[in-house]
Amino acid sequence: GGSGSREAVERLVREHPVVVFMKGSPAQPLCGFSNAVVQILRLHGVEDYRAHDVLQDPDLRQGIKDYSNWPTIPQVYLNGEFVGGCDILLQMHQNGDLVEELKKLGIRS
Amino acid sequence: AGGPLAHTIRAKLTAALQPTHLEVRDDSPRHGGPPGAETHFGVLVVSERFAGLPLLQRHRLVHEALRTELAGPLHALQVIARTPQQWQSDPHA
């Protein structure tokens, strides 16, 4: 298949320690939930990550949902593992789990 | 209150998770779209079913209950999933 195939998606999520699938770009998020993810990463000093705009690629938009069995965008992956969407990232930010997860990746926030 | 989709969300979450507390919020008007469109929702679910489960699994239970809706008109769903104990100790979280 194309960009939405399981193999293609798996390559993308493993391409970088921090990968985000969002609507719009980090410079110009096109949805409040995607923007929240960008802001949380920024708060933690995570500037180096890979972001994919699913609005540019309907195949990928469906493919990432199938891959994670998660119905909504944004989606955050750390070290190739699906972490969650905006709500989960926000709660991990609030309860300190995100700092710990980033530390495992060698990112000090 | 709310439209047909709000009603369905409430009914399905009630049936699937037997919540001790449930709030269904329709955020659709804040996200544009035609009047009356039901696309964006937030839910607060307090249920014993979440005990011992990590966040990801709790959210998956909510998604599972609303699988049909998420595959259709429901584009965005904010989820807060708490156990009754967590809800009692911090009802504002």
PDB file of all heavy atoms in Angstrom, chain A residues 73-92:
ATOM      1  N   ILE A  73      -6.761  12.332  16.091  1.00  0.00           N
ATOM      2  CA  ILE A  73      -5.503  13.038  15.886  1.00  0.00           C
ATOM      3  C   ILE A  73      -5.516  14.219  16.858  1.00  0.00           C
ATOM      4  O   ILE A  73      -6.582  14.834  17.005  1.00  0.00           O
ATOM      5  CB  ILE A  73      -5.399  13.557  14.424  1.00  0.00           C
ATOM      6  CG1 ILE A  73      -5.594  12.434  13.426  1.00  0.00           C
ATOM      7  CG2 ILE A  73      -4.105  14.312  14.198  1.00  0.00           C
ATOM      8  CD1 ILE A  73      -4.506  11.386  13.401  1.00  0.00           C
ATOM      9  N   PRO A  74      -4.425  14.581  17.491  1.00  0.00           N
ATOM     10  CA  PRO A  74      -3.041  14.142  17.324  1.00  0.00           C
ATOM     11  C   PRO A  74      -2.713  12.807  17.994  1.00  0.00           C
ATOM     12  O   PRO A  74      -3.465  12.321  18.830  1.00  0.00           O
ATOM     13  CB  PRO A  74      -2.258  15.278  18.014  1.00  0.00           C
ATOM     14  CG  PRO A  74      -3.203  15.772  19.081  1.00  0.00           C
ATOM     15  CD  PRO A  74      -4.563  15.661  18.472  1.00  0.00           C
ATOM     16  N   GLN A  75      -1.580  12.248  17.573  1.00  0.00           N
ATOM     17  CA  GLN A  75      -1.031  11.050  18.199  1.00  0.00           C
ATOM     18  C   GLN A  75       0.462  11.259  18.424  1.00  0.00           C
ATOM     19  O   GLN A  75       1.168  11.742  17.552  1.00  0.00           O
ATOM     20  CB  GLN A  75      -1.256   9.832  17.302  1.00  0.00           C
ATOM     21  CG  GLN A  75      -2.730   9.497  17.102  1.00  0.00           C
ATOM     22  CD  GLN A  75      -2.933   8.167  16.410  1.00  0.00           C
ATOM     23  OE1 GLN A  75      -2.005   7.359  16.272  1.00  0.00           O
ATOM     24  NE2 GLN A  75      -4.154   7.919  15.961  1.00  0.00           N
ATOM     25  N   VAL A  76       0.912  10.849  19.611  1.00  0.00           N
ATOM     26  CA  VAL A  76       2.305  11.044  19.998  1.00  0.00           C
ATOM     27  C   VAL A  76       2.993   9.694  20.193  1.00  0.00           C
ATOM     28  O   VAL A  76       2.429   8.793  20.841  1.00  0.00           O
ATOM     29  CB  VAL A  76       2.396  11.871  21.304  1.00  0.00           C
ATOM     30  CG1 VAL A  76       3.854  12.039  21.735  1.00  0.00           C
ATOM     31  CG2 VAL A  76       1.721  13.225  21.137  1.00  0.00           C
ATOM     32  N   TYR A  77       4.189   9.559  19.630  1.00  0.00           N
ATOM     33  CA  TYR A  77       4.984   8.336  19.768  1.00  0.00           C
ATOM     34  C   TYR A  77       6.338   8.670  20.369  1.00  0.00           C
ATOM     35  O   TYR A  77       7.007   9.608  19.918  1.00  0.00           O
ATOM     36  CB  TYR A  77       5.186   7.679  18.391  1.00  0.00           C
ATOM     37  CG  TYR A  77       3.914   7.111  17.819  1.00  0.00           C
ATOM     38  CD1 TYR A  77       2.963   7.960  17.261  1.00  0.00           C
ATOM     39  CD2 TYR A  77       3.656   5.748  17.863  1.00  0.00           C
ATOM     40  CE1 TYR A  77       1.779   7.455  16.760  1.00  0.00           C
ATOM     41  CE2 TYR A  77       2.467   5.232  17.352  1.00  0.00           C
ATOM     42  CZ  TYR A  77       1.541   6.089  16.808  1.00  0.00           C
ATOM     43  OH  TYR A  77       0.358   5.587  16.321  1.00  0.00           O
ATOM     44  N   LEU A  78       6.719   7.926  21.404  1.00  0.00           N
ATOM     45  CA  LEU A  78       8.041   8.068  22.002  1.00  0.00           C
ATOM     46  C   LEU A  78       8.771   6.745  21.820  1.00  0.00           C
ATOM     47  O   LEU A  78       8.266   5.699  22.234  1.00  0.00           O
ATOM     48  CB  LEU A  78       7.936   8.421  23.490  1.00  0.00           C
ATOM     49  CG  LEU A  78       7.252   9.756  23.843  1.00  0.00           C
ATOM     50  CD1 LEU A  78       7.205   9.946  25.364  1.00  0.00           C
ATOM     51  CD2 LEU A  78       7.941  10.940  23.174  1.00  0.00           C
ATOM     52  N   ASN A  79       9.936   6.811  21.192  1.00  0.00           N
ATOM     53  CA  ASN A  79      10.719   5.602  20.951  1.00  0.00           C
ATOM     54  C   ASN A  79       9.928   4.524  20.221  1.00  0.00           C
ATOM     55  O   ASN A  79      10.031   3.341  20.545  1.00  0.00           O
ATOM     56  CB  ASN A  79      11.230   5.046  22.282  1.00  0.00           C
ATOM     57  CG  ASN A  79      12.749   4.925  22.285  1.00  0.00           C
ATOM     58  OD1 ASN A  79      13.392   5.166  21.261  1.00  0.00           O
ATOM     59  ND2 ASN A  79      13.304   4.527  23.405  1.00  0.00           N
ATOM     60  N   GLY A  80       9.113   4.935  19.272  1.00  0.00           N
ATOM     61  CA  GLY A  80       8.335   3.982  18.492  1.00  0.00           C
ATOM     62  C   GLY A  80       7.083   3.468  19.162  1.00  0.00           C
ATOM     63  O   GLY A  80       6.318   2.721  18.565  1.00  0.00           O
ATOM     64  N   GLU A  81       6.853   3.887  20.424  1.00  0.00           N
ATOM     65  CA  GLU A  81       5.687   3.415  21.178  1.00  0.00           C
ATOM     66  C   GLU A  81       4.604   4.482  21.195  1.00  0.00           C
ATOM     67  O   GLU A  81       4.884   5.648  21.487  1.00  0.00           O
ATOM     68  CB  GLU A  81       6.085   3.089  22.622  1.00  0.00           C
ATOM     69  CG  GLU A  81       7.005   1.904  22.778  1.00  0.00           C
ATOM     70  CD  GLU A  81       6.301   0.584  22.483  1.00  0.00           C
ATOM     71  OE1 GLU A  81       5.087   0.494  22.762  1.00  0.00           O
ATOM     72  OE2 GLU A  81       6.949  -0.321  21.964  1.00  0.00           O
ATOM     73  N   PHE A  82       3.379   4.067  20.937  1.00  0.00           N
ATOM     74  CA  PHE A  82       2.260   4.993  21.025  1.00  0.00           C
ATOM     75  C   PHE A  82       2.022   5.401  22.473  1.00  0.00           C
ATOM     76  O   PHE A  82       1.911   4.557  23.361  1.00  0.00           O
ATOM     77  CB  PHE A  82       0.998   4.344  20.448  1.00  0.00           C
ATOM     78  CG  PHE A  82      -0.218   5.202  20.556  1.00  0.00           C
ATOM     79  CD1 PHE A  82      -0.238   6.482  19.991  1.00  0.00           C
ATOM     80  CD2 PHE A  82      -1.333   4.761  21.230  1.00  0.00           C
ATOM     81  CE1 PHE A  82      -1.361   7.282  20.101  1.00  0.00           C
ATOM     82  CE2 PHE A  82      -2.470   5.548  21.326  1.00  0.00           C
ATOM     83  CZ  PHE A  82      -2.484   6.812  20.773  1.00  0.00           C
ATOM     84  N   VAL A  83       1.975   6.701  22.712  1.00  0.00           N
ATOM     85  CA  VAL A  83       1.804   7.231  24.066  1.00  0.00           C
ATOM     86  C   VAL A  83       0.367   7.679  24.308  1.00  0.00           C
ATOM     87  O   VAL A  83      -0.199   7.469  25.377  1.00  0.00           O
ATOM     88  CB  VAL A  83       2.767   8.419  24.286  1.00  0.00           C
ATOM     89  CG1 VAL A  83       2.398   9.201  25.525  1.00  0.00           C
ATOM     90  CG2 VAL A  83       4.203   7.918  24.378  1.00  0.00           C
ATOM     91  N   GLY A  84      -0.241   8.303  23.300  1.00  0.00           N
ATOM     92  CA  GLY A  84      -1.607   8.763  23.454  1.00  0.00           C
ATOM     93  C   GLY A  84      -1.850  10.006  22.635  1.00  0.00           C
ATOM     94  O   GLY A  84      -1.023  10.390  21.806  1.00  0.00           O
ATOM     95  N   GLY A  85      -2.989  10.625  22.915  1.00  0.00           N
ATOM     96  CA  GLY A  85      -3.338  11.865  22.248  1.00  0.00           C
ATOM     97  C   GLY A  85      -3.103  13.044  23.176  1.00  0.00           C
ATOM     98  O   GLY A  85      -2.340  12.964  24.141  1.00  0.00           O
ATOM     99  N   CYS A  86      -3.799  14.120  22.879  1.00  0.00           N
ATOM    100  CA  CYS A  86      -3.610  15.371  23.597  1.00  0.00           C
ATOM    101  C   CYS A  86      -3.935  15.245  25.087  1.00  0.00           C
ATOM    102  O   CYS A  86      -3.187  15.721  25.942  1.00  0.00           O
ATOM    103  CB  CYS A  86      -4.506  16.415  22.933  1.00  0.00           C
ATOM    104  SG  CYS A  86      -4.692  17.912  23.817  1.00  0.00           S
ATOM    105  N   ASP A  87      -5.046  14.593  25.419  1.00  0.00           N
ATOM    106  CA  ASP A  87      -5.462  14.494  26.831  1.00  0.00           C
ATOM    107  C   ASP A  87      -4.437  13.752  27.659  1.00  0.00           C
ATOM    108  O   ASP A  87      -4.117  14.142  28.783  1.00  0.00           O
ATOM    109  CB  ASP A  87      -6.792  13.741  26.950  1.00  0.00           C
ATOM    110  CG  ASP A  87      -7.926  14.450  26.232  1.00  0.00           C
ATOM    111  OD1 ASP A  87      -7.869  15.682  26.126  1.00  0.00           O
ATOM    112  OD2 ASP A  87      -8.848  13.760  25.778  1.00  0.00           O
ATOM    113  N   ILE A  88      -3.922  12.646  27.095  1.00  0.00           N
ATOM    114  CA  ILE A  88      -2.972  11.826  27.842  1.00  0.00           C
ATOM    115  C   ILE A  88      -1.647  12.575  28.000  1.00  0.00           C
ATOM    116  O   ILE A  88      -1.049  12.585  29.083  1.00  0.00           O
ATOM    117  CB  ILE A  88      -2.789  10.453  27.159  1.00  0.00           C
ATOM    118  CG1 ILE A  88      -4.056   9.618  27.401  1.00  0.00           C
ATOM    119  CG2 ILE A  88      -1.542   9.739  27.674  1.00  0.00           C
ATOM    120  CD1 ILE A  88      -4.023   8.230  26.836  1.00  0.00           C
ATOM    121  N   LEU A  89      -1.208  13.240  26.942  1.00  0.00           N
ATOM    122  CA  LEU A  89       0.040  13.996  27.030  1.00  0.00           C
ATOM    123  C   LEU A  89      -0.087  15.112  28.081  1.00  0.00           C
ATOM    124  O   LEU A  89       0.838  15.347  28.869  1.00  0.00           O
ATOM    125  CB  LEU A  89       0.407  14.589  25.671  1.00  0.00           C
ATOM    126  CG  LEU A  89       1.892  14.936  25.529  1.00  0.00           C
ATOM    127  CD1 LEU A  89       2.743  13.682  25.479  1.00  0.00           C
ATOM    128  CD2 LEU A  89       2.155  15.814  24.314  1.00  0.00           C
ATOM    129  N   LEU A  90      -1.245  15.750  28.102  1.00  0.00           N
ATOM    130  CA  LEU A  90      -1.476  16.821  29.084  1.00  0.00           C
ATOM    131  C   LEU A  90      -1.429  16.265  30.511  1.00  0.00           C
ATOM    132  O   LEU A  90      -0.806  16.858  31.404  1.00  0.00           O
ATOM    133  CB  LEU A  90      -2.836  17.484  28.817  1.00  0.00           C
ATOM    134  CG  LEU A  90      -3.199  18.673  29.700  1.00  0.00           C
ATOM    135  CD1 LEU A  90      -2.169  19.787  29.537  1.00  0.00           C
ATOM    136  CD2 LEU A  90      -4.594  19.192  29.370  1.00  0.00           C
ATOM    137  N   GLN A  91      -2.046  15.116  30.709  1.00  0.00           N
ATOM    138  CA  GLN A  91      -2.034  14.534  32.051  1.00  0.00           C
ATOM    139  C   GLN A  91      -0.631  14.060  32.440  1.00  0.00           C
ATOM    140  O   GLN A  91      -0.225  14.168  33.600  1.00  0.00           O
ATOM    141  CB  GLN A  91      -3.059  13.396  32.144  1.00  0.00           C
ATOM    142  CG  GLN A  91      -4.490  13.941  32.197  1.00  0.00           C
ATOM    143  CD  GLN A  91      -5.545  12.862  32.066  1.00  0.00           C
ATOM    144  OE1 GLN A  91      -5.702  12.024  32.934  1.00  0.00           O
ATOM    145  NE2 GLN A  91      -6.273  12.875  30.962  1.00  0.00           N
ATOM    146  N   MET A  92       0.114  13.533  31.455  1.00  0.00           N
ATOM    147  CA  MET A  92       1.502  13.124  31.731  1.00  0.00           C
ATOM    148  C   MET A  92       2.363  14.343  32.054  1.00  0.00           C
ATOM    149  O   MET A  92       3.296  14.266  32.849  1.00  0.00           O
ATOM    150  CB  MET A  92       2.082  12.387  30.526  1.00  0.00           C
ATOM    151  CG  MET A  92       1.484  11.009  30.310  1.00  0.00           C
ATOM    152  SD  MET A  92       2.077  10.294  28.756  1.00  0.00           S
ATOM    153  CE  MET A  92       3.810  10.035  29.135  1.00  0.00           C
TER     154      MET A  92
END
